[in-house]
Amino acid sequence: MTTAQHTLTVFGLSAVAVIALLYGNPDLAKQFYQFVAPEPMPVAKIEAPALTALMEAPAHPVEVEAAPLTAQEKAMLGSRKQQEFVTSWLSKRYRVAGDAANMLVSTAYLTASEIKLDPLLILAVMAIESRFNPFAESPVGAQGLMQVMSKVHKEKFQEMGGTRAALNPVANIRVGSQILKEYVQRGGSVEAGLKSYVGAAAFETDSGYGSRVLAEYQRLKQVARGKDVPIFTRPAAATMVADKAAPAAAPAAPAPKVEAPVVTDVASEQIAGL
């Protein structure tokens, strides 16, 4: 009992001494309290990146000195009002967020200006190919907005970070538009170019693919002019591009025709801006 009493006395005197020391030294008291009851670590605030940051151009872009635009190129680029009409209509028709639709339409117009191709034709191909789903992929490997076969056209993605950039909306639009332009030039007409683009160049028919693209193109032309074009006019279903590396495959069964007027007597130069 005596030993226990002495021990408690020593502990009590030590506690009093410590309290007195802490009371006389505020800095030491603060350090002691932080040691005994540390403050919780602050939680870093995480902000979602802007849409433009997610859809920015791929790394290592090719820098090309821009030449002054000709009158034809300025007309092809279109007014900001026309782009607003097209963006609003596509956003409602394909249920795409307004900011995303604006980004895709702007990219299509800028790409069209660079390679001398009608932006509305690019947008029409995107609509039929993927319904503006940047992550769409077909069973044969066609990817992105314009359903590009990245394995077949991998050299076109080299300057944009490789084939991984196939799902980058900007890279996909640029490469897909370049391929479309090459096919149109090689075939001598937009119809022939579209037939090659869908992988049906060696076949007698493209199963209505070209007609669906041109029908959507004609609707977009009306929209760009400020016309009131119905949104729910049986939009064409998304069509995945066939394997362009294997033209010997059997063509798909003919798809039902879209009940919309298709203009087929328009010159290819007027449609593609060549």
Side-chain angles (χ1 to χ4, degrees):
M1 292 294 294
T2 302
T3 302
Q5 183 179 4
H6 290 171
T7 302
L8 292 175
T9 302
V10 171
F11 285 157
L13 293 175
S14 300
V16 171
V18 170
I19 293 173
L21 179 62
L22 296 177
Y23 182 78
N25 192 335
D27 293 336
L28 183 60
K30 184 177 180 180
Q31 294 178 3
F32 177 77
Y33 291 142
Q34 289 179 349
F35 176 77
V36 176
E39 296 180 358
M41 296 295 293
V43 180
K45 184 179 180 181
I46 301 177
E47 296 183 357
L51 179 63
T52 53
L54 294 175
M55 293 181 144
E56 63 184 0
H60 310 295
V62 180
E63 295 184 1
V64 180
E65 186 176 354
L69 296 177
T70 64
Q72 181 181 2
E73 293 170 348
K74 290 181 179 179
M76 184 187 303
L77 187 59
S79 67
R80 182 175 298 274
K81 197 64 177 176
Q82 289 175 336
Q83 293 190 40
E84 291 177 357
F85 289 151
V86 172
T87 298
S88 176
W89 190 79
L90 289 175
S91 175
K92 296 175 182 177
R93 179 173 174 82
Y94 294 99
R95 298 183 180 180
V96 180
D99 290 342
N102 180 59
M103 174 65 66
L104 299 180
V105 171
S106 299
T107 302
Y109 270 79
L110 290 175
T111 301
S113 176
E114 293 173 2
I115 68 175
K116 309 300 183 297
L117 192 67
D118 192 333
L120 300 182
L121 180 61
I122 297 175
L123 291 170
V125 170
M126 290 165 56
I128 302 304
E129 289 289 352
S130 67
R131 295 182 66 86
F132 295 95
N133 177 7
F135 306 114
E137 183 170 353
S138 75
V140 296
Q143 296 176 305
L145 291 164
M146 299 189 71
Q147 289 293 279
V148 179
M149 295 290 294
S150 58
K151 294 181 180 179
V152 177
H153 302 282
K154 58 184 178 180
E155 73 283 351
K156 289 182 170 60
F157 287 103
Q158 289 180 354
E159 297 175 347
M160 302 180 184
T163 55
R164 294 181 180 178
L167 296 180
N168 179 304
V170 175
N172 193 279
I173 292 174
R174 290 181 176 177
V175 173
S177 300
Q178 291 172 4
I179 297 171
L180 178 61
K181 173 71 176 292
E182 292 174 3
Y183 286 159
V184 170
Q185 289 181 324
R186 187 184 308 171
S189 67
V190 173
E191 290 80 359
L194 292 173
K195 191 175 181 181
S196 296
Y197 192 88
V198 79
F203 304 118
E204 182 178 353
T205 176
D206 61 1
S207 300
Y209 172 82
S211 297
R212 294 195 298 273
V213 172
L214 292 179
E216 190 71 1
Y217 170 76
Q218 294 301 326
R219 285 189 283 267
L220 286 171
K221 285 185 66 175
Q222 296 296 319
V223 171
R225 294 169 182 166
K227 303 294 183 180
D228 185 13
V229 180
I231 298 173
F232 304 104
T233 54
R234 293 186 60 189
T239 302
M240 301 301 182
V241 176
D243 188 356
K244 301 175 179 62
K257 296 182 179 179
V258 178
E259 295 182 0
V262 179
V263 179
T264 58
D265 58 350
V266 180
S268 299
E269 292 77 7
Q270 293 177 341
I271 294 181
L274 302 178

